[in-house]
Amino acid sequence: SITRKPLPHCKAVLLCKQVVQDDDTLAISLLDLIESFSQQSFPAPTPPFVVFLQLYDGIGRYKLSMEANALGDDASVARATIGDVDFPERLAKMDIAIPVGSILVPRPGRFELVVFVDGQELGRQYFSVEVQDVTEE
C-alpha cells in the first residue's frame, strides 16, 4: 500500500470581491464576501471574484485545483487547475487568493465551489445565483 502524505487542513474557503494585504502589517482584508450573484438571463457569466483559501499543516508540495458544480444535478460548471502550493514547514499557514475571471452558470440555483489538493477534496463553499429583478433601479 502506498503511504500518502497527510492533506493540509482547510481553515477557510471564502468568495469575495477583493483580497488586500497591508504592506506594513501583512494583515489580510477580505472585501465584500459573496454568497450570491444576480443575473438577468441564463446561461450567464458571474462577475469576477476571488477565492480565498487558508490552509494549515501541509507537508511539502501539493497540486491545487477547483471545480464549481450545480447542486441538484451535480453538473460540473467549471474546473481549473490552479498550480502548486508549497508548504515551507509543517506549521506554516498559507493564505492563498485565487482570482476567478468568471464562471458561466447555466441557470439560477445553488452551486458549490470545491477545492482539491492532489485530487482529494479539501473544502467547499456554497453560493447561489438568482434571477435579477430588472424593475429595480
Side-chain angles (χ1 to χ4, degrees), residues 5-61:
K5 66 182 171 189
L7 296 179
H9 292 99
C10 183
K11 185 84 170 200
V13 179
L14 296 168
L15 311 184
C16 56
K17 289 212 174 124
Q18 195 176 5
V19 176
V20 178
Q21 186 168 30
D22 185 280
D23 291 336
D24 297 326
T25 65
L26 301 182
I28 292 176
S29 297
L30 307 181
L31 307 180
D32 298 331
L33 292 176
I34 297 170
E35 292 181 13
S36 67
F37 297 100
S38 292
Q39 303 294 4
Q40 290 182 0
S41 62
F42 295 89
T46 65
F49 61 96
V50 178
V51 177
F52 176 79
L53 303 176
Q54 191 171 72
L55 308 179
Y56 286 92
D57 290 338
I59 299 174
R61 180 168 291 183

Side-chain angles (χ1 to χ4, degrees), residues 55-101:
L55 308 179
Y56 286 92
D57 290 338
I59 299 174
R61 180 168 291 183
Y62 299 87
K63 290 207 174 309
L64 188 62
S65 60
M66 293 188 308
E67 74 180 35
N69 301 312
L71 295 180
D73 55 13
D74 284 334
S76 180
V77 176
R79 183 175 287 131
T81 299
I82 309 306
D84 291 343
V85 57
D86 203 353
F87 286 81
E89 58 183 79
R90 181 68 198 248
L91 297 177
K93 170 184 69 118
M94 303 291 284
D95 292 323
I96 303 165
I98 304 162
V100 176

